[in-house]
Amino acid sequence: MKIALLNVKYSPNLGDGLLSECLERELGHALPGAKVFSIDLAGRTAYPGLGPSRRGQAIAVLEALPLWLRQRLARLVLATLVRLRLRRHARSALEGCSAAVLGGGNLLTDADLNFPMKIAGALAEVRAKGIPLAVHAVGASRNWSPAGRRLFAGALRSVRLTTAAVRDERSRLAWDSQLEPAGLPPAGLVGDPGLLASLHFARGPLPEDAPRAGLCITAPMALRYHSDDAHGDDDLDEWYAMAARTLVQQGYAVALFTNGSPEDRAYLARLGPQWIRAAKGPVTITNPFANPAELTAFISGCAMIVAHRMHACIAAHSFAIPTIGLAWDIKLDSFFELAGRADFIAATADLPEPRLRELIRRAGDEGVDLAALERLIASTRADVSTMGRRLMAAAAAASPPRTSLPEPLPA
């Protein structure tokens, strides 16, 4: 039995690979004998190398364009990509599959129609195969364009949808408000698969000298482009320097790292030496990670993580490592609320040195509520198991596929 996960496993942001690998392994555990694998919605087949990338330049160009021109250009490029390459990629990978899962990750978002068009193309191939689909642990934004809403709704109506579940309450409200009126069922709530990192990845070694704090660096460009509600990204250059210095003063050896996105790596390479000089203490730049296992080994060897990136925080929490979240997108606030750590997230604009120092001290002193974490991990495992059973029951029933197709998007 083969089950395909539709996601962005091989994204340069290794957080996407981390949650994809966790879902692959956990679903395989829940359904012994099943072959569970991922189909990257962007057509990638391996984790990207660590060489130069034009991704940051592309984002900068899109940012500079007028909104109407940016959307028109993106639509034309994506339509060609989906038609000529991505649907063929999905069609080939789905061969022999009994079922498919859309999830997890922040997939139900609409930045220049990127995910609406890619998901509509992939689900057209799922429908053509006549196999059931589960939507599991996805993030959903609330600001879809009319075209994006038509694409998402049409694609999901066209398949045999067995279950629909999102990863937080705000995503549930976004799903229900935008998809229920189109005839889709309300979404349930499940845990993010990244919470299972400590079950599926080995813990990395602890430093032998001072406890290590991982300071995750995210480029301001990424915060502006990918967020619904970007905030707190002003003066990040100075804020990161202050944060490294404050962590050093609190007794930590600081490691500057990224989740892997090229724009983040370029930002760290450019300003990291300046931050090290300003910190006047043990601060290093961590080598880029090649895959989620390397990222997780590093995070799990830290005593504290400070990050904008959601899955740096989720992986750390899975290993019971205190985290301080840097607010920039509602999805991160939602996770900290779910984890019972709402007191430990704030925008950088609201974290001057005195408040950051106090938050670091509190996070280190209080640690993580282990009983609550165990319950969260157990419920997340149960969510995957329940989804898997329902999906297999639908596959066994072999109901005929629906005949409706997603409404085509005009060029």
Side-chain angles (χ1 to χ4, degrees):
M1 182 176 294
K2 291 173 61 179
I3 304 172
L5 308 183
L6 303 171
N7 51 40
V8 284
K9 175 178 178 177
Y10 298 117
S11 162
N13 179 355
L14 294 175
D16 293 311
L18 168 68
L19 69 91
S20 299
E21 291 199 18
C22 286
L23 185 53
E24 285 176 12
R25 298 176 191 188
E26 189 60 32
L27 187 55
H29 172 81
L31 301 174
K35 178 184 178 182
V36 184
F37 69 102
S38 290
I39 301 174
D40 191 295
L41 290 164
R44 295 167 293 222
T45 57
Y47 290 111
L50 300 177
S53 169
R54 293 191 294 272
R55 174 183 158 103
Q57 293 174 331
I59 292 176
V61 169
L62 287 172
E63 271 197 308
L65 294 175
L67 181 60
W68 69 268
L69 179 58
R70 185 175 93 186
Q71 293 176 337
R72 177 73 172 173
L73 179 62
R75 179 181 299 189
L76 290 172
V77 171
L78 281 167
T80 302
L81 179 65
V82 170
R83 184 176 67 253
L84 297 183
R85 188 163 75 88
L86 298 186
R87 285 192 60 168
R88 186 184 306 133
H89 172 72
R91 185 183 312 132
S92 174
L94 284 166
E95 191 65 37
C97 286
S98 303
V101 180
L102 179 66
N106 205 33
L107 299 180
L108 297 183
T109 59
D110 182 4
D112 300 326
L113 292 179
N114 181 48
F115 279 125
M117 294 185 74
K118 289 176 179 176
I119 288 172
L123 294 195
E125 298 302 326
V126 170
R127 176 203 165 274
K129 297 291 184 186
I131 59 177
L133 176 88
V135 176
H136 189 79
V138 295
S141 66
R142 63 179 183 272
N143 65 337
W144 302 344
S145 64
R149 189 178 301 113
R150 289 198 307 272
L151 282 164
F152 279 141
L156 289 165
R157 284 199 311 264
S158 77
V159 297
R160 293 164 49 201
L161 186 62
T162 62
T163 60
V166 295
R167 67 188 182 189
D168 57 69
E169 176 63 20
R170 291 181 177 88
S171 291
R172 187 189 68 79
L173 293 174
W175 171 291
D176 290 356
S177 65
Q178 295 172 113
L179 291 177
E180 273 199 81
L184 286 155
L189 281 175
V190 294
D192 189 290
L195 287 163
L196 307 178
S198 58
L199 301 181
H200 297 296
F201 290 93
R203 182 183 287 272
L206 297 174
E208 295 181 358
D209 43 12
R212 181 173 68 203
L215 178 56
C216 185
I217 305 301
T218 305
M221 172 193 302
L223 301 180
R224 290 192 301 268
Y225 187 75
H226 291 292
S227 172
D228 290 344
D229 304 294
H231 59 285
D233 65 340
D234 295 333
D235 300 321
L236 260 188
D237 299 1
E238 295 300 322
W239 191 89
Y240 279 131
M242 179 275 290
R245 181 176 63 250
T246 303
L247 285 163
V248 165
Q249 291 170 351
Q250 294 299 107
Y252 292 96
V254 179
L256 308 176
F257 75 102
T258 78
N259 270 22
S261 292
E263 61 271 24
D264 296 351
R265 290 193 281 116
Y267 181 58
L268 173 55
R270 181 166 58 87
L271 292 181
Q274 172 183 316
W275 298 331
I276 289 173
R277 289 192 297 271
K280 299 179 180 178
V283 181
T284 57
I285 296 175
T286 303
N287 289 330
F289 308 112
N291 52 53
E294 290 186 4
L295 172 65
T296 308
F298 166 80
I299 288 174
S300 61
C302 291
M304 182 173 296
I305 291 291
V306 180
H308 289 93
R309 291 292 187 182
M310 180 169 166
H311 280 90
C313 296
I314 289 178
H317 190 65
S318 179
F319 284 94
I321 296 164
T323 57
I324 295 174
L326 305 177
W328 68 289
D329 190 290
I330 204 69
K331 65 185 182 183
L332 191 63
D333 300 74
S334 295
F335 168 70
F336 271 73
E337 289 176 11
L338 177 70
R341 296 187 60 79
D343 290 346
F344 292 96
I345 180 170
T348 56
D350 299 325
L351 281 177
E353 187 168 348
R355 188 180 175 203
L356 177 62
R357 185 186 307 112
E358 175 61 17
L359 210 56
I360 292 169
R361 185 196 63 76
R362 275 190 59 204
D365 289 348
E366 296 180 18
V368 171
D369 184 333
L370 296 181
L373 175 58
E374 288 177 2
R375 290 193 296 271
L376 190 55
I377 289 174
S379 67
T380 302
R381 298 196 81 178
D383 294 334
V384 175
S385 180
T386 299
M387 178 268 289
R389 290 196 306 272
R390 292 178 179 174
L391 193 61
M392 288 302 91
S399 301
R402 298 185 184 184
T403 57
S404 59
L405 287 170
E407 181 179 344
L409 182 70

